[in-house]
Amino acid sequence: MVVAVVAAALAAPAGAHAGPNSARTAIVSLGDSYISGEAGRWQGNSINAARDRDGTDRAAFDCTVATCSYDPGRVYGASATNGCDRSDVAEIKSAAIAVDQKVNLACSGATTANIFRTSKGGEAFKGEPPQGDQLLYVAHASNVKLVVLSIGGNDLGFADIIQACATAYLTRQPPCRTSQQQVLDSKFGAAMRNVARAIDEIRAIMSDAGYTQARLVVQSYPSVFVRASENRYAENDPAQRAGVGGCPTYDTDADWARDSVVNQIANGLKFVAVSKGVQFLDLRDAFQGREVCSKSTRQASLIQPPSPTTSEWGRFLNQSTVAQGVLQEAVHPNAYGQRALGRCLRLIYGSFSRGGNCTNVAGQGPNAMRLAPF
């Protein structure tokens, strides 16, 4: 049975298996939380637990002088129920690409095993069929102009790495970088091979739906956390760095995550994409200067409301994360970041290069993102 997200996104096709001959056009996103729209509920960060959290909580409504009601479904729709968290400003939704349908099949927490069709060993996830099975339906129902894939981070256990590094800092254990680099390296080869298999699977799905050519973009991950030298909170002040800022890492671990882990993953994904002949959208520097705790950003307050030009573009990680929302939203692009990624997708859609590096312009909003082809 086709899941509700597909049925809601697409009405019954005008003709069976219309596919590339359909008059209705579509673009589709597949993958994990970094493209599903996790943390899209938030625009900037604030430690204020009251009302609309200084304007950062897009799920707040019916606010009075003292309180607000909250409904994550206002942002994530029906996917708030199962935790796929497909936001209304997710990359595929924010991209200014002129098509009839923008279909978000990505799901927070997904791995490459959730991309393959059931017939190819794919696994259902959070009560939904594998994304490949859903893509096949969409590809039959509409003329799919683009498929964009963000996958691999959960195969590498990226969330566990973040947890280990945060725990090390908060409990004053030694830095995490040495032990976690070993963990990353032990999983890296298999993860990249599975990304390559996912690309092959998507191509096979599109071929089975009648496409002689299908455009596929594979993207990397933006860094939500900041380098040590650019952090506005001192390492020796955990009450501020962790409790307020929401970036609980040692300086050495922050630099390792920003300049080693992010680059290792991006380089691996780029190698796979180029070797498979698909476009690669390099997002490793997309949030430079917009990261959580960056000196060039600030948290929202009663007198300084959130803004796409001054606020952080990622969700922070501290007690406020859980008090205001849910932990799985932490360390993900927020609404501002997702709109920026949507602009990046639009730029590469208009490019016929092998790929490009998408970056922001200091002091400007998501619409000012730039793509440098390579």
Side-chain angles (χ1 to χ4, degrees):
M1 179 180 294
V2 177
V3 294
V5 64
V6 175
L10 299 169
H17 307 306
N21 296 318
S22 174
R24 181 174 52 229
T25 55
I27 54 176
V28 182
S29 59
L30 303 175
D32 54 28
S33 55
Y34 268 67
I35 199 168
S36 73
E38 186 70 80
R41 172 178 175 175
W42 308 96
Q43 48 186 17
N45 294 304
S46 170
I47 60 172
N48 186 354
R51 302 183 73 250
D52 63 357
R53 288 76 188 245
D54 294 327
T56 63
D57 191 349
R58 300 174 60 240
F61 68 103
D62 286 347
C63 295
T64 67
V65 174
T67 64
C68 289
S69 296
Y70 307 100
D71 178 13
R74 295 168 69 91
V75 174
Y76 300 126
S79 70
T81 302
N82 71 355
C84 280
D85 287 353
R86 302 179 178 104
S87 84
D88 57 346
V89 292
E91 181 178 327
I92 198 76
K93 300 291 186 179
S94 295
I97 297 174
V99 290
D100 299 313
Q101 301 282 351
K102 297 177 179 180
V103 184
N104 186 359
L105 301 179
C107 184
S108 184
T111 67
T112 50
N114 307 124
I115 302 298
F116 309 120
R117 287 168 289 180
T118 303
S119 62
K120 301 299 181 180
E123 300 174 4
F125 188 58
K126 295 187 176 180
E128 298 183 1
Q131 293 176 36
D133 289 329
Q134 299 180 55
L135 173 62
L136 182 61
Y137 176 85
V138 176
H140 276 311
S142 295
N143 180 1
V144 175
K145 296 296 186 181
L146 172 72
V147 178
V148 56
L149 174 68
S150 169
I151 204 70
N154 292 317
D155 294 67
L156 293 168
F158 190 63
D160 293 334
I161 293 174
I162 293 171
Q163 181 178 353
C165 294
T167 299
Y169 179 73
L170 293 171
T171 60
R172 315 316 292 169
Q173 298 175 33
C176 70
R177 60 181 300 171
T178 300
S179 62
Q180 293 306 306
Q181 183 66 58
Q182 294 172 352
V183 172
L184 180 64
D185 290 342
S186 71
K187 298 178 179 180
F188 197 78
M192 293 302 109
R193 287 191 294 272
N194 283 332
V195 172
R197 286 185 57 217
I199 293 172
D200 291 340
E201 173 70 346
I202 292 167
R203 280 176 160 161
I205 291 167
M206 300 303 288
S207 178
D208 288 350
Y211 294 75
T212 56
Q213 289 186 328
R215 188 169 181 185
L216 174 59
V217 170
V218 172
Q219 65 184 44
S220 64
Y221 297 90
S223 177
V224 175
F225 275 176
V226 70
R227 295 182 182 91
S229 63
E230 298 165 0
N231 196 317
R232 62 179 181 265
Y233 303 103
E235 180 187 58
N236 62 2
D237 191 353
Q240 286 293 307
R241 175 173 284 198
V244 176
C247 50
T249 57
Y250 289 111
D251 284 351
T252 185
D253 289 339
D255 287 343
W256 168 72
R258 176 64 181 88
D259 292 324
S260 181
V261 175
V262 170
N263 286 340
Q264 181 178 352
I265 295 173
N267 289 337
L269 291 170
K270 181 179 180 179
F271 177 83
V272 171
V274 171
S275 66
K276 289 292 182 180
V278 300
Q279 283 186 295
F280 179 65
L281 180 56
D282 195 332
L283 300 174
R284 74 183 81 189
D285 297 319
F287 290 4
Q288 173 60 37
R290 313 304 182 100
E291 306 99 333
V292 175
C293 295
S294 173
K295 290 178 180 178
S296 57
T297 63
R298 65 178 183 230
Q299 290 188 1
S301 67
L302 288 172
I303 60 174
Q304 293 180 320
S307 162
T309 60
T310 60
S311 294
E312 297 159 329
W313 284 6
R315 182 66 174 153
F316 59 7
L317 174 60
N318 57 19
Q319 289 297 320
S320 295
T321 309
V322 179
Q324 298 173 358
V326 294
L327 183 60
Q328 75 177 45
E329 292 175 312
V331 199
H332 285 92
N334 62 23
Y336 295 140
Q338 289 174 29
R339 291 187 180 106
L341 299 181
R343 178 59 180 165
C344 292
L345 183 61
R346 172 62 184 89
L347 290 172
I348 200 167
Y349 183 75
S351 169
F352 293 94
S353 64
R354 292 187 303 167
N357 182 25
C358 198
T359 57
N360 72 82
V361 178
Q364 298 190 38
N367 287 336
M369 300 299 289
R370 300 176 297 188
L371 185 74
F374 54 74

